[in-house]
């Protein structure tokens, strides 16, 4: 029978106790609501009625772009001229059309158009990618009711309110729908809401009983109805409405609503009515417009530009004052300028006006202090970095075929500055797969395979012992070898046996496999243990025709792992009916395989509050059994006096499993008599069918009465398989000094379990749980929460154990009070003292508020990670980005250095030229300086520079701390580079003046004119600046060589080609290189001398730093350069071990805790052997 056929016969709501009980119209009646906020009317199966008012609603088309055709130009221009430098050059470009400009208008406008145009093109490209993604979503297909009971395909964007749609398994819901029916007989369906709230567990939705007959296409031929409900709103967890159908009114609640972007799972199909479309859907109501964010480096650049602009104003005022003085007192004597016939700007009688006019000229002339190409170069680097991210083979998911996708590059460099990571979806850390690894049955531990934590601990401890052996005596070295041998026993030899991997089952122990458990002393207990695994669940089996074995569709991966384990042990669950579970038992005392039926009498399912699941079954012998699995603390509290036989041994095993990073559950049972069960079942059925606010409490009380006096049978240990690289990633982040907060909509139990799986939590970590008491008095609740926070802070302060670590766990209800203005600082103070912070069941607004609190309260850079609709506010609040640490700071510093070195030479020449506004450089030199001749090397610096390789960075994650510490872009560095630029400008100008002022330049004895001097100075600048950037680089590829030396060659090519043009075009530069500069030895000697002198201070500084105060990456660079990592592996391992930071979270912290535990055990064993002495020889 097919899987759909099996499920069609199941009324799954009968399996559930606390959920999936649908109210009838006569039980609870309709919701009563009037007034604003509840005006939505949906005419079911009549979408044409929604084409006109008052029922006309928004289309199902969605757009997440930042711009459109009409808004792109004004919004993009507004973005660009928010930048201080661009605004300045816009003003300069406008003034360049006046006679006051020292340069031609073309030379001022062209760079501005190029820079702004390139930045706008980048914005357009990134928004185009969002646009194409929107098209892909809008054009998804879904089946809709065309009429007369016939369904056809339609794109999502064409759906209308009132449409009947049919969604099939593994498809996303195209809009917010009212569930009418499903492939299950009783209208149950499973929904994955990972895109909405980050939860990986499936949700059970249920249709109204009155619409269950609408379970095939023809049933909708004459279907009509009316939905009256709330207006569109962003609340993902609430819904209020009424459904009018067949002259009855039925109340609707969130359990009947299927939200857009959630996915149908484990259900063949569902039918639904479209209620909210497009931007009216709840997921889109949670979305916000794409924000325009600027990185901290870019914002800091503005402040630096303010400093440079202040310098520009200062030297412009000096120049204008000098010009006014020269005009008043000296110009009357300059008869060749005809001062009596000049205009107002050069009138000796009006020096103030001349000075003001010259101020405008000077502001334009010295404008090269402001680096116009800085922004565009950084934009190019960001685009290149985004391209590298998209093409990175290490960020490619082979299973799905999806590469990384950087949808924006505006904040690339921010990742290099991150202090706190706020992550939403803990499920992205795991594969949602559990592997059955170990178990304890009747006080005996089974399972010889080691967990990832145990293996890593043994390997690390062995490495530590090996390093310590170098400095130990021979005697102690022998003891170390003995310890190492004992450590190796942690990793079993059985693990070397290669077997085909079984998904969900990594158990290895010959004592239980292949029926060998029958030879164990407690075979009856082992059989009962396996039966509990095979019976106590809600899963549905599915036959794999290729392998002949069964796989299982379960609500949680734990259940799937237990069923796979039971199957491999010989107890295969293969069939479920409405009232029974069937298990194929391959091994028995008789030696015959048997199919057994267990009648399900009652099922009390697992909830985060109960922390246990129970089934009551009748076996083929008529015996009634209660089978229970749950958290050990819950199970142990419910054991009878006679049921604690294995409690001590099982507790010891559970602690060992937890220390090994495994998730555990305890298993228990008890036998029931007929009269005992009948009396309890009568009470249970009364509670189950009751109506009213006390129903849940009554059910819990009745369940509590039955789940007591249990007999412990054993415990399970499963390993939560993480996504590839997740433990290492979190460990490296912790080693790098980043703090990790989890803000999730998951239940507390789920979030904590995944926290353990990814090592944010670990055994021995002290958990600080802040909870709100149940009280209607808000002040009383706040006072209690504040008291808990104060006590926790005091406890952490008084902690004396250096290895102690604390984890803060808080839920959304508590956060509602903790985030109040008078409490949030206390909450933050506690949180920053904890190694991990997990906030569970938080709303989208609370995520944003917590993120804002961390960002503003700590003043550090925050990175938010999330992919659900409820993460938008958090992402909007955080400083988010992807990039490379440190490089942008160096890039910006270099820009200011080169522009100061170049721009100040213009000011010095002004002093020699009577502050006349004459430039020593040709206009084309100025144009090419920023745009071509010095921009390509700095782009290569930003895009390709590596202090050390990425592999080395992962081995020394503490290197990341250089970014948050701002070692490459603090004011000390910035002022240092500005000082370097000042020094270089003085050398370039005055050394050239000294060489050429009154010396013969040509063979004929002529001295250098202004064009020869200016071109020589410009050549020196190009050489000095490009050599400077070469000295700052640590990693060279052919691209860097091409850009650096190519820029210098390009300068000579330009000078040669431009000089070959006609004199009307080239002016005084005509044949300048060929006839004047190239034949003059002093030109080449001056270039060499100035270049060396300009770079000497930097070389001296970096040499001193590397010798006496090296940074971490300097030491690693030297080790790599001398190949010590290859030639001396012991030294390299020792350096890596020294660089390993002490952390409180992450895989390393968990391994260190395991090592401490192993060392204590080994020391005790060693002391014990010394006390008892060696055994006497026979």
């Amino acid at each position: 029978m097919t899987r759909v056929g099996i499920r069609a016969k199941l009324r799954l709501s009968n399996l559930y106790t606390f959920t999936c009980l649908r109210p009838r119209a006569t039980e609870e009646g309709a919701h009563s609501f009037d007034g604003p906020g509840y005006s939505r009317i949906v005419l079911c199966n009549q979408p044409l009625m929604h084409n006109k008012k008052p029922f006309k609603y928004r289309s199902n088309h969605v757009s997440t772009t930042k711009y459109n055709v009409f808004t792109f130009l004004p919004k993009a221009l507004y973005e660009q001229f928010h930048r201080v430098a661009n605004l300045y050059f816009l003003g300069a470009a406008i003034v360049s059309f006046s006679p006051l400009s020292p340069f031609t208008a073309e030379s001022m406008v062209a760079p501005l158009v190029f820079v702004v145009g390139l930045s706008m093109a980048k914005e357009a490209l990134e928004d185009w990618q969002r646009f194409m993604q929107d098209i892909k979503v809008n054009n998804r297909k879904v089946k809709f009711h065309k009429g007369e009971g016939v369904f056809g395909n339609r794109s999502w964007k064409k759906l209308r309110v009132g449409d009947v749609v049919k969604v099939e398994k593994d498809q996303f819901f195209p809009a917010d729908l009212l569930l009418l029916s499903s492939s299950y007989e009783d209208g149950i369906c499973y929904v994955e809401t990972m895109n909405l709230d980050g939860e990986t567990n499936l949700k059970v939705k249920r249709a109204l009983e009155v619409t269950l007959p609408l379970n095939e296409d023809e049933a909708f031929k004459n279907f009509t109805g009316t939905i009256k409900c709330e207006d569109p709103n962003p609340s993902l967890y609430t819904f209020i409405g009424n459904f009018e159908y067949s002259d009855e009114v039925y109340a609707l609640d969130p359990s009947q609503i299927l939200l857009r972007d959630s996915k149908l799972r484990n259900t063949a199909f569902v039918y639904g009515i479209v209620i909210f479309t497009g931007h009216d859907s709840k997921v889109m109501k949670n979305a916000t417009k794409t924000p325009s964010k600027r990185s901290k480096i870019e914002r800091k650049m503005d402040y630096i530009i303010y400093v440079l602009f202040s310098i520009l104003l200062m030297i412009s005022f000096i120049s204008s004052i000098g010009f006014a003085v020269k005009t008043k007192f000296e110009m009357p004597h300059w008869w060749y300028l005809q001062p009596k016939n000049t205009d107002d700007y050069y009138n000796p009688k009006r020096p103030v006006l001349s000075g003001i006019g010259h101020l405008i000229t000077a502001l334009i002339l010295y404008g090269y202090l402001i680096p116009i190409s800085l922004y565009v170069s950084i934009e190019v680097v960001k685009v290149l970095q985004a391209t590298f991210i998209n093409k990175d083979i290490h960020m490619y998911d082979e299973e799905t075929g999806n590469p990384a996708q950087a949808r924006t590059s505006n904040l690339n460099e921010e990742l290099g500055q991150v202090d706190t990571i706020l992550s939403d979806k803990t499920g992205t850390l795991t594969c949602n797969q559990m592997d059955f690894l170990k178990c304890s049955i009747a006080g005996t531990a089974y399972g010889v395979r080691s967990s990832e934590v145990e293996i890593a601990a043994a390997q690390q401890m062995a490495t530590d012992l090996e390093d310590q052996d170098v400095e130990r005596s021979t005697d102690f070295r022998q003891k170390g070898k003995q310890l190492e041998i004992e450590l190796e026993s942690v990793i079993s030899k059985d693990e070397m046996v290669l077997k085909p991997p079984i998904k969900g089952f990594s158990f290895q122990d010959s004592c239980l496999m292949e029926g060998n458990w029958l030879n164990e002393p407690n075979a009856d207990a082992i059989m009962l243990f396996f039966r509990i695994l095979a019976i106590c669940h809600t899963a549905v089996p599915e036959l794999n025709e290729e392998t002949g074995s069964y796989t299982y569709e379960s609500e949680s991966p734990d259940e799937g792992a237990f069923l796979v384990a039971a199957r491999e042990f010989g107890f295969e669950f293969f069939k479920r009916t409405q009232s029974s579970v069937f298990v194929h038992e391959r091994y028995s005392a008789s030696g015959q395989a048997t199919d057994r039926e267990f009648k399900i009498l009652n099922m009390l399912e697992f909830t985060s509050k109960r922390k246990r699941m129970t089934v009551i079954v009748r076996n083929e012998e008529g015996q009634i059994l209660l089978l229970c699995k749950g958290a050990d603390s819950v199970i142990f509290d419910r054991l009878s006096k006679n049921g604690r036989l294995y409690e001590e041994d099982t507790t010891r095993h559970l602690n060992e499993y937890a220390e090994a990073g495994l998730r555990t559950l305890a298993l228990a049972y008890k036998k029931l008599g007929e009269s005992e069960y009948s009396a309890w079942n009568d009470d249970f059925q009364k509670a189950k069918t009751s109506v009213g606010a006390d129903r849940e409490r009554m059910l819990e009380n009745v369940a509590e009465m039955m789940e007591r006096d249990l007999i412990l049978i054993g415990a399970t240990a499963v390993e939560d398989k993480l996504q590839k690289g997740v433990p290492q990633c979190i460990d490296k982040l912790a080693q790098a000094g980043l703090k990790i907060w989890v803000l999730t909509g998951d239940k507390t139990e789920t979030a904590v379990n995944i926290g353990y799986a990814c090592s944010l939590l670990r055994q021995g970590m002290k958990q600080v749980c802040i909870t709100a008491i149940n009280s209607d008095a808000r002040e009383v609740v706040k006072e209690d929460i504040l008291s808990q926070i104060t006590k926790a802070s005091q406890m952490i302060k008084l902690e004396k154990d250096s290895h102690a670590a604390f984890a803060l766990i808080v839920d959304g209800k508590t956060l509602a009070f903790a985030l109040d203005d008078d409490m949030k600082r206390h909450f933050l103070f506690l949180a920053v003292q904890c190694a991990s912070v997990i906030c569970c069941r938080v709303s989208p607004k609370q995520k944003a508020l917590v993120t804002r609190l961390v960002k503003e309260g700590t003043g550090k850079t925050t990175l938010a990670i999330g992919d659900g609709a409820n993460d938008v506010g958090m992402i909007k609040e955080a400083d988010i980005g992807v990039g490379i640490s440190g490089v942008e700071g160096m890039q910006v510093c270099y820009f200011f250095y080169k522009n100061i070195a170049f721009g100040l030479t213009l000011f010095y020449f002004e002093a020699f030229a009577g502050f006349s506004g004459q430039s020593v450089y040709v206009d084309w030199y100025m144009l090419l300086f920023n745009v071509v001749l010095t921009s390509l090397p700095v782009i290569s610096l930003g895009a390709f520079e590596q202090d050390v390789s990425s592999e080395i960075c992962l081995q020394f994650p503490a290197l990341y701390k250089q970014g948050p510490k701002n070692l490459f872009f603090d004011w000390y560095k910035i002022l240092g580079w500005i000082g370097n630029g000042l020094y270089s400008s003085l050398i370039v100008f005055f050394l050239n003046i000294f060489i050429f002022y009154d010396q013969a330049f040509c063979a004929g004895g002529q001295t250098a004119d202004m064009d020869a001097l200016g071109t020589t100075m410009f050549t020196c600048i190009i050489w000095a600046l490009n050599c400077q950037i070469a000295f700052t680089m640590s990693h060279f590829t052919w691209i860097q060589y091409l850009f650096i030396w190519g820029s210098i060659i390009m300068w000579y090519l330009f000078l040669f080609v431009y000089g070959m043009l006609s004199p009307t075009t080239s002016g005084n530069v005509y044949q300048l290189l060929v006839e004047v500069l190239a034949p003059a030895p002093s030109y080449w000697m001056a270039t060499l001398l100035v270049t060396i002198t300009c770079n000497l201070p930097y070389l001296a500084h970096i040499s001193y730093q590397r010798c006496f105060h090296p940074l971490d990456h300097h030491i690693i660079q030297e080790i790599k350069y001398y190949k010590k990592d290859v030639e001396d592996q012991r030294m390299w391992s020792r350096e890596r071990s020294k660089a390993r930071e002490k952390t409180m979270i992450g895989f390393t912290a968990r391994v260190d805790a395991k090592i401490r535990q192993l060392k204590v055990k080994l020391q005790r064993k060693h002391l014990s052997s010394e006390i008892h002495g060696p055994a006497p020889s026979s």
Side-chain angles (χ1 to χ4, degrees), residues 33 67 85 282 409 476 487 624 632 695 754 898 1146 1152:
F33 48 74
Y67 310 102
K282 289 181 179 289
S409 60
F476 201 78
L487 275 174
I624 300 176
D632 54 275
R695 177 180 175 276
I754 296 177
K898 76 181 183 68
D1152 287 343

Side-chain angles (χ1 to χ4, degrees), residues 890 894 941 945 947 977 1027-1034 1098:
M890 178 66 72
Y894 175 78
L941 172 72
E945 171 66 351
D947 290 337
W977 278 98
C1027 287
Q1028 173 71 79
I1029 201 168
F1031 289 136
T1032 63
M1033 290 182 178
S1034 303
Y1098 179 80

Side-chain angles (χ1 to χ4, degrees), residues 995-1008 1080-1082:
I995 293 172
F996 297 115
Y997 188 72
D998 53 7
Q999 300 291 326
F1001 184 73
C1002 300
Q1006 301 95 332
T1007 56
S1082 56

Side-chain angles (χ1 to χ4, degrees), residues 952-965:
I952 300 299
C953 284
L954 292 176
Q955 294 180 48
F956 295 89
L959 288 173
Y960 179 85
K961 293 182 178 180
Q962 294 177 344
K965 288 179 180 177

Side-chain angles (χ1 to χ4, degrees), residues 798-1024:
L798 296 176
E799 179 61 52
K800 296 181 179 179
D801 184 2
S802 60
H803 299 298
F806 295 87
L808 176 62
I809 300 171
V810 62
D811 59 20
K813 182 180 178 182
T814 307
L815 277 177
F817 299 93
L819 292 175
D820 284 352
D821 289 340
D822 55 343
M823 288 186 63
K824 62 184 182 182
R825 296 296 172 186
H826 299 283
F827 170 71
L828 181 63
F829 178 75
L830 170 62
V832 296
Q833 295 180 85
C834 295
S836 295
V837 179
I838 297 180
C839 302
C840 315
R841 281 298 186 196
V842 291
S843 68
K845 183 178 180 181
Q846 286 175 329
K847 288 185 179 185
L849 291 175
V850 171
T851 305
R852 182 187 301 173
L853 176 62
V854 176
K855 182 176 69 173
E856 296 179 352
T858 64
K860 303 293 180 63
T861 302
T862 55
L863 169 67
I865 304 174
D867 59 0
N870 58 346
D871 306 327
V872 176
M874 174 176 71
I875 291 172
K876 185 177 179 181
E877 281 292 340
D879 308 300
I880 184 171
V882 177
I884 300 170
S885 170
V887 172
E888 285 78 9
M890 178 66 72
Q891 186 182 352
V892 174
C893 286
Y894 175 78
F895 258 103
F896 294 128
Y897 155 76
K898 76 181 183 68
N899 279 72
I900 288 174
F902 176 62
L904 287 180
T905 58
L906 292 165
F907 173 67
Y908 304 148
F909 182 77
E910 276 288 276
F912 274 75
F915 299 105
S916 61
Q918 173 65 50
S919 172
V920 70
Y921 305 119
V922 177
D923 288 3
W924 276 100
Y925 297 179
M926 317 279 274
L927 176 62
L928 293 175
F929 174 76
N930 273 322
V931 177
V932 177
L933 298 178
T934 59
S935 59
L936 293 180
V938 81
I939 289 173
S940 70
L941 172 72
F944 302 105
E945 171 66 351
Q946 297 179 15
D947 290 337
V948 292
S949 68
S950 57
E951 292 80 8
I952 300 299
C953 284
L954 292 176
Q955 294 180 48
F956 295 89
L959 288 173
Y960 179 85
K961 293 182 178 180
Q962 294 177 344
K965 288 179 180 177
N966 235 352
L967 295 184
F968 301 107
F969 198 50
D970 57 7
W971 280 105
Y972 174 79
K973 282 279 185 183
I974 293 166
L975 294 176
W977 278 98
I978 290 176
N980 193 16
L982 174 62
Y983 166 81
S984 296
S985 68
L986 291 169
I987 295 297
V988 168
F989 182 80
F990 288 103
L991 196 53
N992 275 294
I993 288 292
F994 176 77
I995 293 172
F996 297 115
Y997 188 72
D998 53 7
Q999 300 291 326
F1001 184 73
C1002 300
Q1006 301 95 332
T1007 56
D1009 61 7
M1010 185 183 73
D1011 294 298
L1013 175 64
T1015 304
T1016 304
M1017 287 170 53
F1018 197 83
T1019 303
C1020 293
I1021 287 171
I1022 298 301
W1023 269 99

Side-chain angles (χ1 to χ4, degrees), residues 529-594:
F529 181 91
F530 292 156
R531 283 180 175 173
I532 295 175
L533 295 182
I535 298 169
C536 189
H537 58 81
T538 60
V540 177
E542 179 182 358
L543 179 63
N544 187 323
E545 296 180 357
E546 294 182 2
T547 63
S549 63
Y550 286 87
T551 57
Y552 306 101
E553 296 283 3
S554 58
E555 286 189 52
S556 69
D558 305 68
E559 280 193 351
F562 292 149
L563 288 169
V564 171
R567 182 191 71 199
E568 296 301 315
F569 289 132
F571 292 74
E572 185 172 43
F573 162 57
F574 69 93
K575 182 181 178 182
R576 180 189 289 280
T577 66
Q578 192 62 55
S579 58
S580 298
V581 166
F582 295 82
V583 178
H584 177 71
E585 298 184 357
R586 291 201 304 271
Y587 310 108
S588 64
S590 64
Q592 300 293 321
T594 308

Side-chain angles (χ1 to χ4, degrees), residues 73 102 170 184 253 319 351 354 409 443 484 512 637 643 791 818 852-853 866 894 988 1034 1055 1086:
L73 195 60
D170 293 332
Y184 292 118
D253 60 49
S319 182
S354 297
S409 60
E484 188 173 332
L512 297 186
D637 288 345
K791 289 179 181 177
R852 182 187 301 173
L853 176 62
Y894 175 78
V988 168
S1034 303
L1055 195 57

Side-chain angles (χ1 to χ4, degrees), residues 628-639:
C628 183
K629 64 182 181 184
D632 54 275
S633 58
V634 174
I635 299 296
F636 287 178
D637 288 345
R638 288 163 174 75
L639 297 178

